Amino acid sequence: MLEVEHLTGGWGPTTIVEDLSLRLAAGEVVSIIGRNGVGKTTTLELISGRARRVSGTIRLDGKPLEALPVFERCRAGLGLVPQSREIFPNLTVTENLSAAARRGDWTMDRVMDLFPSLRRRARNLGRQLSGGELQMLAIGRALVGNPKVLLMDEPTEGLAPIIVEQLMDSLKMLASSKSLAIVLVEQIVEVALELADRCVIMDRGQIVHTASPDELRGNQALLSDLMGLHANVS
Ligand SMILES: Nc1ncnc2c1ncn2[C@@H]1O[C@H](COP(=O)(O)OP(=O)(O)OP(=O)(O)O)[C@@H](O)[C@H]1O
Ligand SMILES: [Mg+2]
């Protein structure tokens, strides 16, 4: 479905990501984990077309994307949930969704079934939403674009644990539906492992390890070594 080969690039003159390759089958969920600043966001922004590519190729369903502008990558089937969320503050929930909607299985109604709080807040403005609701809206907005591959950058960032749990229920449903492939960047290791079919660990702009969630659960030493955190997962 998505084939990234030897991708190198960054921002302005600075190269952040070097020679990164990643493949996803249809319906597959891959989590990218790694310390702050290792280039996780830059990787997603290179795939979506917002960061500057130096070399490498990106294919979606066999179609080369790397030379296309952002909106055409979107049209080809890439959806991005950016780390900065980027919800229109002065549009309502419904308006934010309809601005991004494209024909397909994911309708506004279906998004609101997945995230019931969005239905309750349908007429509220973007700026009136809580952090959790904003994140749900950012995911919903990507879904109504009916992507084949969804790039999600830290959907749980800044959310209280109870809200993370609610969001997880919806994300688990989404992941198990196998209706789209997902690249998930996630700092909370438990969340990353629970949702993923496969995990890649990044360090300094490169993928340094690929493993199944079970392998990583069984290798706390590797996790704390590469993540530099107390990745105490069970
Ligand atoms: N929009 C941008 N413009 C310029 N430089 C950027 C931009 N986004 C990230 N960078 C730089 O790229 C480098 C890698 O950052 P990146 O955001 O990709 O890391 P990350 O792994 O997503 O980190 P975090 O876990 O903190 O989100 C950093 O030096 C950062 O300052
Ligand atoms: Mg980031």
Side-chain angles (χ1 to χ4, degrees):
M1 178 57 66
L2 180 70
E3 294 167 281
V4 175
E5 303 278 354
H6 306 296
L7 188 61
T8 295
W11 306 96
T14 316
T15 294
I16 305 286
V17 170
E18 270 202 79
D19 196 24
L20 181 140
S21 297
L22 184 67
R23 280 165 172 254
L24 266 86
E28 195 180 14
V29 181
V30 170
S31 287
I32 301 181
I33 55 182
R35 280 184 276 246
N36 291 120
V38 296
K40 304 181 299 295
T41 294
T42 305
T43 300
L44 296 194
E45 299 284 3
L46 280 167
I47 298 172
S48 69
R50 307 203 304 180
R52 192 181 58 85
R53 182 186 65 99
V54 173
S55 57
T57 57
I58 303 159
R59 285 171 189 275
L60 183 62
D61 250 353
K63 179 184 163 113
L65 294 191
E66 64 277 355
L68 301 180
V70 175
F71 76 95
E72 282 187 24
R73 295 186 197 200
C74 200
R75 194 183 290 165
L78 268 190
L80 174 68
V81 180
Q83 189 165 13
S84 48
R85 285 150 206 196
E86 299 168 27
I87 294 302
F88 294 115
N90 295 322
L91 296 186
T92 63
V93 166
T94 308
E95 288 164 347
N96 266 286
L97 290 173
S98 57
R102 293 177 56 234
R103 198 177 315 210
D105 290 347
W106 282 100
T107 58
M108 205 184 297
D109 218 34
R110 194 165 158 212
V111 162
M112 289 182 176
D113 287 342
L114 184 66
F115 299 118
S117 5
L118 289 185
R119 178 165 280 123
R120 289 193 290 276
R121 306 288 261 150
R123 287 150 172 258
N124 285 100
L125 298 176
R127 64 180 146 80
Q128 296 169 323
L129 301 180
S130 69
E133 290 161 349
L134 273 175
Q135 192 51 38
M136 290 172 200
L137 181 53
I139 298 167
R141 183 187 50 188
L143 288 174
V144 294
N146 281 286
K148 295 174 189 161
V149 176
L150 181 64
L151 310 171
M152 261 197 289
D153 201 348
E154 305 219 20
T156 62
E157 191 183 25
L159 305 182
I162 178 89
I163 309 295
V164 171
E165 265 174 49
Q166 286 170 15
L167 186 63
M168 271 300 280
D169 290 341
S170 304
L171 291 181
K172 268 193 249 173
M173 267 191 267
L174 186 62
S176 59
S177 76
K178 299 285 171 200
S179 56
L180 71 179
I182 300 175
V183 182
L184 171 72
V185 165
E186 181 53 60
Q187 287 272 356
I188 305 177
V189 178
E190 291 90 332
V191 169
L193 299 190
E194 185 152 359
L195 291 172
D197 299 309
R198 190 153 49 89
C199 293
V200 302
I201 302 179
M202 278 189 75
D203 195 20
R204 280 172 269 179
Q206 297 187 308
I207 292 177
V208 292
H209 196 80
T210 301
S212 72
D214 281 344
E215 284 169 308
L216 287 182
R217 281 191 191 95
N219 199 341
Q220 299 287 333
L222 176 79
L223 267 180
S224 43
D225 190 27
L226 289 170
M227 296 287 296
L229 49 69
H230 323 286
N232 194 10
V233 288
S234 48

